[in-house]
Amino acid sequence: GNSVTQMEGPVTLSEEAFLTINCTYTATGYPSLFWYVQYPGEGLQLLLKATKADDKGSNKGFEATYRKETTSFHLEKGSVQVSDSAVYFCALSAWTGNQFYFGTGTSLTVIP
Amino acid sequence: KAGVTQTPRYLIKTRGQQVTLSCSPISGHRSVSWYQQTPGQGLQFLFEYFSETQRNKGNFPGRFSGRQFSNSRSEMNVSTLELGDSALYLCASSSGQARRTDTQYFGPGTRLTVL
């Protein structure tokens, strides 16, 4: 079946620290992989995506590389800001249908 | 381009009642998916509609139903509400053409509280 496993939170970092949020997946076939971010009281916003192995998605200083050999799509940012405080969701879209499978979310708090 | 809109944003109902939530997708998008978000279960897929037809369905009881209109707007209905139905209900739209690579764009959600 299809599933996403995300590192447990919450994560608390100081401003300008390096961020890694781990995400691994299990999928039938060749999924597309996504990172979404959710700010308090809002819906999910697409952060970045990758649709095939070795693709790197990037946006607003965040990056993630689709690693088929390790079935991973870890999110990284070199220097976090207070405004990055939010909940981050890893997700996959399998070839079998227009259904997303989400990880449990990782809450990030960045302190000044 | 306007984003996905959902109405109402907040709802309070009592057990046993029914509720209808509405979603307007991004212009040109033909696929609308619904998700339930709760602290305990996270984000769970309810169903997807494409060109007025339900194309995919998650593991929810029959009390949860939906439909899509010819203008791609979608409604979700929950009958005989239970306390456990309290959640944030998110709607997402996509083109629906390239199912594996499509990006889903989410609305702000409807917060349903069942008392």
Side-chain angles (χ1 to χ4, degrees):
Chain A
N2 300 305
S3 66
V4 174
T5 301
Q6 211 175 317
M7 69 181 273
E8 295 285 333
V11 174
T12 302
L13 294 173
S14 297
E15 207 165 21
E16 300 184 4
F18 184 85
L19 169 71
T20 299
I21 301 178
N22 291 337
C23 171
T24 57
Y25 68 88
T26 302
T28 305
Y30 301 97
S32 293
L33 300 171
F34 302 78
W35 277 101
Y36 282 85
V37 58
Q38 186 175 35
Y39 298 99
E42 298 184 12
L44 276 67
Q45 298 176 24
L46 176 69
L47 186 56
L48 52 85
K49 66 184 275 189
T51 60
K52 61 183 188 298
D54 300 325
D55 266 2
K56 177 187 281 190
S58 61
N59 185 27
K60 300 180 182 179
F62 291 90
E63 292 183 339
T65 301
Y66 187 167
R67 302 285 188 200
K68 184 169 177 288
E69 63 276 12
T70 54
T71 61
S72 65
F73 192 55
H74 304 322
L75 182 68
E76 296 182 337
K77 187 176 185 184
S79 176
V80 294
Q81 305 300 313
V82 171
S83 57
D84 294 327
S85 299
V87 180
Y88 292 81
F89 291 91
C90 184
L92 73 80
S93 176
W95 69 274
T96 50
N98 206 30
Q99 172 181 345
F100 274 38
Y101 298 83
F102 285 90
T104 51
T106 301
S107 174
L108 169 67
T109 301
V110 180
I111 54 178
Chain B
K1 206 182 243 189
V4 179
T5 58
Q6 291 187 246
T7 56
R9 292 293 310 277
Y10 302 91
L11 266 178
I12 299 176
K13 293 285 187 180
T14 56
R15 278 181 298 174
Q17 287 187 308
Q18 76 165 23
V19 67
T20 299
L21 313 181
S22 181
C23 171
S24 293
I26 291 170
S27 177
H29 284 185
R30 293 166 64 191
S31 170
V32 173
S33 299
W34 289 89
Y35 294 83
Q36 181 195 65
Q37 185 178 23
T38 59
Q41 299 298 317
L43 279 150
Q44 294 186 287
F45 173 75
L46 282 153
F47 30 66
E48 182 223 358
Y49 285 86
F50 178 79
S51 291
E52 302 179 66
T53 301
Q54 189 180 84
R55 190 161 69 171
N56 202 356
K57 188 177 186 306
N59 295 323
F60 277 81
R63 300 186 297 107
F64 292 82
S65 63
R67 60 178 175 168
Q68 187 180 34
F69 302 94
S70 58
N71 62 358
S72 293
R73 190 177 70 84
S74 176
E75 287 182 348
M76 191 192 93
N77 186 75
V78 187
S79 63
T80 319
L81 284 166
E82 300 176 0
L83 294 178
D85 297 333
S86 294
L88 181 66
Y89 289 88
L90 292 165
C91 162
S93 81
S94 66
S95 69
Q97 302 295 328
R99 299 172 76 179
R100 187 184 70 83
T101 59
D102 261 357
T103 295
Q104 293 197 353
Y105 296 90
F106 285 80
T110 294
R111 171 75 61 187
L112 171 65
T113 302
V114 182
L115 302 176

